[in-house]
Amino acid sequence: MVIHTRFAPSPTGRLHLGHAYSAIQAHDFARAQGGRFSLRIEDIDGTRSRPEHMDAILRDLEWLDLGWDGEVTFQSRRLELYQAALDRLRAMDLLYPCFCTRADIAASLSAPHGPEGALYPGTCRGLADPDLSRPHSWRLDVEKAVQSISLPLWEREGADEVGGRVRGSESQPLPLASRAGPSPLPQGERGYTGTTLSPAGSAPIRYPMAT
């Protein structure tokens, strides 16, 4: 298996120490494993993304002596690919429209709370006749999606094997290499490559709405 990590900053401001830490960990882990390290620019926020921030990010990474493999990927140039993926998920009946803003979710008394705040409580799941002329986002019905693939599986060193694959756990984060040697992330801390499925059974798919 080829290890392939990536660093994906948003050009909405300058890099901070947390960004630098993530970039160094991703770069050094890939290099230690003989893998690839990619750079992806999350420039889909048309109101806040700035060319000068992107230039500063590239200069900072060069100053940190972090070289990436291949060309830099710009999310704004890949929207057709994401639209195709969205259309495919919709055709599989795995999406539903959501009319909630972040403020609505934060104010919901039924919203479960995680370490980063309120989680989506499933307010719009199962609406009989949604009005798609209203502003909305599309959410993935995680329960349906999980049923279609049996279990949410991903690869992680040292995890239990399930059906010939490896099942990871947020409580057992993947150790990442550091410049001073092996240095696992603190217990329970999410790595930059991680994806967490909401306990409420619903994860958002792009197209963020204003609060």
Side-chain angles (χ1 to χ4, degrees):
M1 180 182 67
V2 177
I3 297 296
H4 190 171
T5 65
R6 61 102 178 98
F7 177 57
S10 299
T12 55
R14 301 295 298 268
L15 294 185
H16 53 64
L17 289 178
H19 290 133
Y21 176 80
S22 294
I24 290 171
Q25 294 281 25
H27 173 275
D28 288 1
F29 181 70
R31 294 293 181 252
Q33 303 296 321
R36 292 174 54 82
F37 171 64
S38 296
L39 176 61
R40 188 178 76 200
I41 302 297
E42 303 286 327
D43 59 341
I44 57 175
D45 187 337
T47 61
R48 296 193 301 155
S49 294
R50 296 285 186 272
E52 57 268 28
H53 296 325
M54 183 189 67
D55 293 339
I57 288 171
L58 298 180
R59 290 197 303 270
D60 287 344
L61 293 177
E62 291 172 354
W63 183 83
L64 289 168
D65 196 26
L66 302 179
W68 51 89
D69 297 303
E71 297 183 358
V72 178
T73 299
F74 295 89
Q75 292 288 58
S76 62
R77 303 175 189 176
R78 296 162 53 89
L79 297 183
E80 290 184 359
L81 296 175
Y82 302 134
Q83 184 62 54
L86 194 68
D87 292 342
R88 181 182 178 189
L89 291 171
R90 188 182 295 111
M92 296 168 67
D93 194 29
L94 296 179
L95 302 182
Y96 62 91
C98 175
F99 304 91
C100 300
T101 65
R102 292 187 180 94
D104 292 334
I105 296 171
S108 174
L109 296 178
S110 62
H113 281 65
E116 298 179 0
L119 303 177
Y120 180 65
T123 306
C124 296
R125 191 187 309 113
L127 291 178
D129 189 21
D131 180 5
L132 298 184
S133 66
R134 296 168 52 200
H136 61 279
S137 62
W138 289 99
R139 289 187 175 270
L140 176 68
D141 190 321
V142 174
E143 184 176 353
K144 281 187 178 180
V146 168
Q147 290 174 352
S148 71
I149 61 172
S150 180
L151 287 173
L153 303 175
W154 61 94
E155 292 187 348
R156 191 192 72 78
E157 292 181 358
D160 296 331
E161 290 191 5
V162 178
R165 300 181 68 182
V166 181
R167 180 169 63 192
S169 169
E170 189 178 2
S171 64
Q172 295 178 307
L174 172 66
L176 300 178
S178 72
R179 298 199 167 210
S183 175
L185 289 171
Q187 191 76 1
E189 181 175 324
R190 289 189 178 93
Y192 71 97
T193 54
T195 298
T196 302
L197 300 183
S198 164
S202 182
I205 296 181
R206 240 174 21 85
Y207 302 119
M209 297 171 59
T211 56

